[in-house]
Amino acid sequence: MVGIEEAYCNTLIKALLLANYALLEATIIDALQHTVVWGKADTLGLDAIPEIAILEYLKSFDQYAIMLSEESGKDGNQLAMIDQEGQGPARTFFVCDPTDRSAQLREYLLKFSKDQDPLCKVAHALHHPQCRTEWENAFSGPCSITGALSAITCVRRDMPICSAFLNYITQELFVACSAGVYRM
C-alpha cells in the first residue's frame, strides 16, 4: 500500500473503533430510541450513534470526500464530486453501513433490557457472558458471521482502496486492502 492508501485505511479503522465505542457507551434505552436525525422514522439510536461518530471522523480526515451511508443517504457536498479540472468523479468517497443487522441487534437489546436495567450501557449487554450463545440461538451462528456490525469502504479515484468492518458482538475487526485481508 502506498502512503495515502495506508492513511485512508487507518482512518477507516479509527472511525469504526470510534463508532464501536460510541455505541457501547450508549445506554440501551438510547440505542433503542427512535430518532429523526435524518428525517427517517425508522432510524434508531443504534443506527444513528455509530453513523454520527463515523461521519464526523471521516469528514475531519477528508472534508472533500463524499459520504454515502444508510441513514443519512448521499452527502450534500456536491462540489466534491467535481475534480480540479471541473470534470470526472469524486476524488474519494466512503460507503458506510453503520449498523448492519440492526433489527437483530434491536431484538437482542430489547430482550436483554427486559431482564436487566434498561439504563445500563450497551457494552453491558454485548459483553455479557451469555451474549454469543444467546445471539446464536436467536439468529444462528457463528457470531463472527451473523453478528451485528459496522462497515466502511473507501474508493479513491475509481479504485477501491480498502474495506473494514467491526463486529459489535465478537469485537472482531476485519480489514481488506491491497496488502491482504486481516482479522483482529
Side-chain angles (χ1 to χ4, degrees):
M1 290 178 70
V2 296
I4 191 70
E5 292 176 359
E6 187 175 328
Y8 276 102
C9 189
N10 287 336
T11 300
L12 260 61
I13 293 168
K14 178 77 184 254
L16 287 173
L17 293 174
L18 289 170
N20 183 56
Y21 180 77
L23 181 60
L24 291 177
E25 286 299 305
T27 63
I28 291 176
I29 204 161
D30 287 340
L32 295 175
Q33 180 131 7
H34 285 273
T35 180
V36 290
V37 173
W38 295 283
K40 289 178 60 182
D42 67 340
T43 300
L44 298 175
L46 60 85
D47 296 308
I49 293 167
E51 184 161 333
I52 290 167
I54 289 169
L55 294 180
E56 284 180 358
Y57 188 74
L58 294 177
K59 278 291 186 191
S60 73
F61 178 77
D62 186 346
Q63 65 181 347
Y64 299 108
I66 298 295
M67 309 291 167
L68 305 170
S69 63
E70 183 178 349
E71 299 305 320
S72 64
K74 189 177 131 213
D75 192 334
N77 188 356
Q78 296 298 319
L79 294 176
M81 294 182 70
I82 301 171
D83 65 15
Q84 290 180 339
E85 290 80 38
Q87 53 187 291
R91 184 174 56 99
T92 303
F93 69 92
F94 297 99
V95 180
C96 168
D97 186 352
T99 307
D100 191 26
R101 296 188 55 93
S102 58
Q104 291 82 0
L105 182 56
R106 177 185 174 274
E107 185 177 326
Y108 176 78
L109 292 175
L110 275 171
K111 184 179 176 200
F112 186 87
S113 68
K114 287 180 183 174
D115 300 330
Q116 302 285 325
D117 178 11
L119 293 175
C120 70
K121 293 183 179 183
V122 172
H124 183 68
L126 299 185
H127 294 156
H128 189 266
Q130 295 301 314
C131 176
R132 291 183 188 196
T133 303
E134 291 171 0
W135 185 275
E136 290 177 356
N137 288 339
F139 311 115
S140 79
C143 287
S144 291
I145 295 171
T146 65
L149 60 94
S150 183
I152 311 172
T153 297
C154 175
V155 177
R156 185 170 151 74
R157 300 185 192 267
D158 293 335
M159 294 293 298
I161 301 302
C162 55
S163 287
F165 68 86
L166 192 145
N167 186 313
Y168 293 132
I169 308 302
T170 64
Q171 293 295 291
E172 292 171 295
L173 174 68
F174 295 84
V175 178
C177 59
S178 63
V181 178
Y182 303 93
R183 177 181 145 232
M184 295 150 267

